[in-house]
Short mmCIF file of all heavy atoms in Angstrom, two decimals:
data_model
loop_
_atom_site.label_atom_id
_atom_site.label_comp_id
_atom_site.label_asym_id
_atom_site.label_seq_id
_atom_site.Cartn_x
_atom_site.Cartn_y
_atom_site.Cartn_z
N ILE A 39 105.18 104.18 96.48
CA ILE A 39 106.15 104.37 95.40
C ILE A 39 107.30 103.40 95.55
O ILE A 39 107.73 102.74 94.61
CB ILE A 39 106.69 105.80 95.35
CG1 ILE A 39 105.56 106.77 94.95
CG2 ILE A 39 107.82 105.93 94.37
CD1 ILE A 39 105.95 108.23 95.00
N LEU A 40 107.86 103.22 96.75
CA LEU A 40 108.99 102.39 97.02
C LEU A 40 108.61 100.92 96.74
O LEU A 40 109.40 100.25 96.02
CB LEU A 40 109.46 102.56 98.45
CG LEU A 40 110.22 103.92 98.71
CD1 LEU A 40 110.52 103.98 100.28
CD2 LEU A 40 111.46 104.02 97.92
N VAL A 41 107.56 100.44 97.26
CA VAL A 41 107.16 99.09 97.10
C VAL A 41 106.87 98.73 95.62
O VAL A 41 107.37 97.72 95.13
CB VAL A 41 105.88 98.72 97.89
CG1 VAL A 41 105.32 97.38 97.54
CG2 VAL A 41 106.24 98.82 99.44
N ASN A 42 106.18 99.62 94.98
CA ASN A 42 105.90 99.40 93.53
C ASN A 42 107.11 99.49 92.70
O ASN A 42 107.28 98.76 91.69
CB ASN A 42 104.81 100.38 93.08
CG ASN A 42 103.38 99.91 93.39
OD1 ASN A 42 102.81 99.21 92.66
ND2 ASN A 42 102.92 100.39 94.58
N GLY A 43 107.99 100.44 93.00
CA GLY A 43 109.24 100.58 92.28
C GLY A 43 110.09 99.34 92.39
O GLY A 43 110.66 98.88 91.35
N ILE A 44 110.21 98.72 93.57
CA ILE A 44 110.98 97.56 93.74
C ILE A 44 110.45 96.34 92.98
O ILE A 44 111.09 95.65 92.28
CB ILE A 44 111.12 97.18 95.26
CG1 ILE A 44 111.94 98.26 96.01
CG2 ILE A 44 111.73 95.81 95.50
CD1 ILE A 44 111.90 98.15 97.46
N ILE A 45 109.08 96.18 93.13
CA ILE A 45 108.41 95.10 92.38
C ILE A 45 108.52 95.25 90.89
O ILE A 45 108.82 94.35 90.16
CB ILE A 45 106.95 95.02 92.79
CG1 ILE A 45 106.78 94.68 94.28
CG2 ILE A 45 106.21 93.99 91.94
CD1 ILE A 45 107.38 93.34 94.69
N ALA A 46 108.34 96.53 90.41
CA ALA A 46 108.50 96.80 88.99
C ALA A 46 109.87 96.47 88.46
O ALA A 46 110.07 95.90 87.37
CB ALA A 46 108.11 98.23 88.72
N GLY A 47 110.91 96.83 89.26
CA GLY A 47 112.25 96.54 88.82
C GLY A 47 112.54 95.05 88.75
O GLY A 47 113.17 94.60 87.79
N ILE A 48 112.07 94.27 89.71
CA ILE A 48 112.25 92.82 89.73
C ILE A 48 111.50 92.19 88.53
O ILE A 48 112.03 91.34 87.87
CB ILE A 48 111.74 92.26 91.07
CG1 ILE A 48 112.63 92.71 92.23
CG2 ILE A 48 111.75 90.72 90.96
CD1 ILE A 48 112.07 92.27 93.59
N ALA A 49 110.28 92.69 88.30
CA ALA A 49 109.48 92.16 87.22
C ALA A 49 110.18 92.43 85.84
O ALA A 49 110.19 91.51 84.97
CB ALA A 49 108.05 92.77 87.23
N TYR A 50 110.71 93.55 85.70
CA TYR A 50 111.38 93.89 84.43
C TYR A 50 112.67 93.08 84.31
O TYR A 50 113.02 92.56 83.18
CB TYR A 50 111.71 95.40 84.37
CG TYR A 50 112.36 95.78 83.10
CD1 TYR A 50 111.61 95.77 81.87
CD2 TYR A 50 113.68 96.18 83.03
CE1 TYR A 50 112.28 96.12 80.67
CE2 TYR A 50 114.32 96.51 81.86
CZ TYR A 50 113.62 96.49 80.69
OH TYR A 50 114.21 96.81 79.48
N TYR A 51 113.44 92.97 85.37
CA TYR A 51 114.68 92.23 85.37
C TYR A 51 114.46 90.76 85.02
O TYR A 51 115.27 90.16 84.30
CB TYR A 51 115.39 92.34 86.69
CG TYR A 51 116.72 91.63 86.80
CD1 TYR A 51 117.88 92.13 86.17
CD2 TYR A 51 116.85 90.40 87.43
CE1 TYR A 51 119.09 91.48 86.23
CE2 TYR A 51 118.09 89.75 87.51
CZ TYR A 51 119.20 90.28 86.87
OH TYR A 51 120.32 89.63 86.92
N THR A 52 113.34 90.19 85.50
CA THR A 52 113.06 88.79 85.22
C THR A 52 112.24 88.63 83.88
O THR A 52 111.80 87.56 83.60
CB THR A 52 112.27 88.19 86.38
OG1 THR A 52 111.05 89.00 86.63
CG2 THR A 52 113.08 88.13 87.65
N LYS A 53 112.08 89.69 83.19
CA LYS A 53 111.41 89.70 81.91
C LYS A 53 109.97 89.26 81.86
O LYS A 53 109.53 88.58 80.89
CB LYS A 53 112.28 88.88 80.96
CG LYS A 53 113.65 89.39 80.68
CD LYS A 53 114.43 88.56 79.70
CE LYS A 53 115.83 89.10 79.53
NZ LYS A 53 116.67 88.34 78.56
N VAL A 54 109.22 89.54 82.93
CA VAL A 54 107.80 89.25 82.92
C VAL A 54 106.97 90.44 82.58
O VAL A 54 105.73 90.34 82.42
CB VAL A 54 107.36 88.61 84.28
CG1 VAL A 54 108.02 87.37 84.56
CG2 VAL A 54 107.63 89.62 85.43
N VAL A 55 107.58 91.64 82.49
CA VAL A 55 106.93 92.86 82.01
C VAL A 55 107.82 93.59 81.06
O VAL A 55 109.05 93.46 81.09
CB VAL A 55 106.48 93.86 83.14
CG1 VAL A 55 105.47 93.19 84.06
CG2 VAL A 55 107.65 94.35 83.89
N ARG A 56 107.25 94.30 80.10
CA ARG A 56 108.03 95.16 79.20
C ARG A 56 108.20 96.51 79.89
O ARG A 56 107.69 96.79 80.96
CB ARG A 56 107.28 95.30 77.92
CG ARG A 56 106.89 94.01 77.23
CD ARG A 56 105.96 94.28 76.06
NE ARG A 56 105.14 93.07 75.78
CZ ARG A 56 104.09 93.08 74.92
NH1 ARG A 56 103.76 94.18 74.30
NH2 ARG A 56 103.44 91.95 74.75
N LYS A 57 108.95 97.39 79.21
CA LYS A 57 109.13 98.76 79.75
C LYS A 57 107.80 99.46 79.88
O LYS A 57 107.53 100.13 80.86
CB LYS A 57 110.10 99.57 78.80
CG LYS A 57 111.50 99.10 78.85
CD LYS A 57 112.38 100.01 77.97
CE LYS A 57 113.85 99.54 78.07
NZ LYS A 57 114.69 100.38 77.17
N SER A 58 106.97 99.32 78.89
CA SER A 58 105.61 99.91 78.97
C SER A 58 104.79 99.26 80.09
O SER A 58 103.94 99.92 80.72
CB SER A 58 104.83 99.73 77.61
OG SER A 58 104.62 98.38 77.35
N GLY A 59 105.03 98.02 80.40
CA GLY A 59 104.33 97.33 81.47
C GLY A 59 104.73 97.92 82.83
O GLY A 59 103.90 97.98 83.75
N ILE A 60 105.98 98.36 82.98
CA ILE A 60 106.41 99.01 84.22
C ILE A 60 105.63 100.24 84.41
O ILE A 60 105.15 100.52 85.54
CB ILE A 60 107.89 99.33 84.12
CG1 ILE A 60 108.74 97.98 84.16
CG2 ILE A 60 108.34 100.21 85.28
CD1 ILE A 60 110.26 98.26 84.06
#
Side-chain angles (χ1 to χ4, degrees):
I39 293 175
L40 288 174
V41 171
N42 278 273
I44 292 170
I45 296 297
I48 294 172
Y50 181 69
Y51 180 76
T52 55
K53 299 180 179 181
V54 295
V55 297
R56 308 170 201 170
K57 289 182 179 179
S58 64
I60 290 179

